[in-house]
């Protein structure tokens, strides 16, 4: 047996397979140990440890039987039907060889199992989703890190439950990996509205839809483009409300999410901003159909209907970008991150944020130059140098969080449908132009959703 194995391993394919498998196994175990000890923090190490090295290991395993087969053919050239090898467990040499093969097979299975499990775990980690494809997913990853869902893993919202959701996500991920490798991905990355799992399996695992929230108070800051950066502060009471469980009643904005009500609509575009038709069915059996001006039933033939859920308003729950440079700077001044002591800082910061830059590095340099030049043009200073440095740093951070030139992501690329001041939002339906056949319109009454204090 030993002589046969030695003869078979003389074939280059088997020899390479043995060397490749052995080396890969040692490298995998060493890298796995180093990573477990916390010494490998780079997001690309997971690909090396759980994908690249195990791939070489598997290739080596495949080469061994191929080489054995080729060597047997070479030795038995001209023999019509090669005889099966005789296995005699009474022979100590054969018994020892089989034990070695069994032990190596078990070790190989264990290594491949750990590698496979590690590959799945790594492919569902924040590092893989957001940093391994850094240039592509940088906007989404950056927004996610600073948002309210920063500690929620990507797969919790983007991968559906069960084997079906897992397989669909991996197939889609393979397609995306191919596009990334070929450089044919779209810029900017489109919002995956159609491929998102059912909200009952994602959002509602944490957010109870029947919870009554009531009112929430929000303070909005606005500043003038004058020397004093004059502040206007508006307090808004949002009537979030909610459903009354088990009934069609409720109040406020979250009335739309009452499970007893059925709200369906038709959208004409991928972003779901053009909505010509809305249907509302309530538990009392009433059905109301609202048509946008000039739209008839015939115009809707063949158009898909969608039942309204969380994502129709909360369309950017985990990847929020600033609505506009004006709002971002107003919020920074209102929160005290940029001091209003610097003359015209609101106007200058907005101007710096709106300018086109080739990259983040260029933007950082140019934003500092713009703000310093503007400040130095108005001497003597009525503020501290530390105030100016902080204003520059905050403005640079606002840019880095919202604009990504390499991915063609800028202000307004990803509209947030919460509200209606910057994006269409609520007014997609609440515009007084969606009416039933007897003239009843979807109201645009401001007091339905909020009041000012």
């Amino acid at each position: 047996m030993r002589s046969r194995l030695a003869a078979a391993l003389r074939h280059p394919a088997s020899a390479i397979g043995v060397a490749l498998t052995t080396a890969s196994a040692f490298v995998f175990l060493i890298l796995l140990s180093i990573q477990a000890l916390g010494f490998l923090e780079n997001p690309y190490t997971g690909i090396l440890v759980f994908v690249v090295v195990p791939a070489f290991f598997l290739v080596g395993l495949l080469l061994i039987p191929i080489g054995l087969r080729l060597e047997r053919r070479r030795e038995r050239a001209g023999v019509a039907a090669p005889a099966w090898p005789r296995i005699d467990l009474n022979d100590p040499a054969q018994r020892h060889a089989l034990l070695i093969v069994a032990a190596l097979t078990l070790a190989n299975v264990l290594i491949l199992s750990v590698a496979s499990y590690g590959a799945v775990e790594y492919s569902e980690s924040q590092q893989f989703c957001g940093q391994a494809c850094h240039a592509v997913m940088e906007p989404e990853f950056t927004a996610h890190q600073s948002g309210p869902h920063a500690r929620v893993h990507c797969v919790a919202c983007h991968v559906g439950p069960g084997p079906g959701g897992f397989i669909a996500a991996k197939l889609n991920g393979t397609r995306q990996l191919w596009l990334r490798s070929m450089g044919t991905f779209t810029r900017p990355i489109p919002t995956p509205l159609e491929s998102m799992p059912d909200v009952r399996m994602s959002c509602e695992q944490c957010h109870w839809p029947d919870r009554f929230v009531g009112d929430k108070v929000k303070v909005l800051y606005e500043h003038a483009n004058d020397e004093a950066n004059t502040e206007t502060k508006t307090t808004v009471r949002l009537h979030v409300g909610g459903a009354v469980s088990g009934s069609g009643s409720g109040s406020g904005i979250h009335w739309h999410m009452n499970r007893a009500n059925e709200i369906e609509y038709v959208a004409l575009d991928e972003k779901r901003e053009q909505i010509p038709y809305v249907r509302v069915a309530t538990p009392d059996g009433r059905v109301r159909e609202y048509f946008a001006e000039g739209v008839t039933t015939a115009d809707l033939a063949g158009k898909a209907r969608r039942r309204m859920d969380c994502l129709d308003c909360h369309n950017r729950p985990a990847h929020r970008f600033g609505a506009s440079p004006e709002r971002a700077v107003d919020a920074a001044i209102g929160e005290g991150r940029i001091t209003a002591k610097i003359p015209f800082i609101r106007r200058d910061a907005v101007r710096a944020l709106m300018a086109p830059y080739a990259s983040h590095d260029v933007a950082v340099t140019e934003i500092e130059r713009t703000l310093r030049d503007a400040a130095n043009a108005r001497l003597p200073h009525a503020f501290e140098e530390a105030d100016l440095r902080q204003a520059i740093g905050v403005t640079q951070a606002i840019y880095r969080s919202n604009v990504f030139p390499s991915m063609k992501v800028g202000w307004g690329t990803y509209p947030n449908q919460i509200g209606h001041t910057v994006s269409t939002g609520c007014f997609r339906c609440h515009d007084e132009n969606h009416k039933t056949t007897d003239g009843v319109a979807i109201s645009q009454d401001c007091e339905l959703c909020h009041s000012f204090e």
Side-chain angles (χ1 to χ4, degrees), residues 228-286:
N229 306 294
T230 303
E231 181 179 272
T232 301
K233 186 165 61 175
T234 304
T235 302
V236 181
R237 182 176 292 274
L238 296 170
H239 306 316
V240 179
V244 176
S245 183
S247 72
S249 62
S251 64
I253 303 165
H254 277 186
W255 172 87
H256 297 80
M257 286 294 95
N258 192 327
R259 290 175 174 176
N261 298 318
E262 184 178 299
I263 304 174
E264 295 180 329
Y265 68 90
V266 171
L268 299 180
D269 62 322
E270 293 181 353
K271 292 185 177 181
R272 300 174 184 166
E273 293 185 337
Q274 301 175 37
I275 300 178
Y277 169 82
V278 179
R279 178 183 181 274
V280 180
T282 50
D284 57 8
R286 253 195 332 168

Side-chain angles (χ1 to χ4, degrees), residues 363-376:
V364 167
T365 302
E366 289 300 309
I367 288 172
E368 179 170 8
R369 184 189 62 78
T370 298
L371 296 186
R372 283 199 176 277
D373 288 350
N376 291 332

Side-chain angles (χ1 to χ4, degrees), residues 338-360:
I338 295 179
T339 179
K341 295 178 182 178
I342 305 174
F344 295 103
I345 188 61
R346 195 267 189 183
R347 182 194 67 185
D348 296 334
V350 170
R351 179 162 56 91
L353 289 170
M354 293 182 68
Y357 305 111
S359 66
H360 276 177

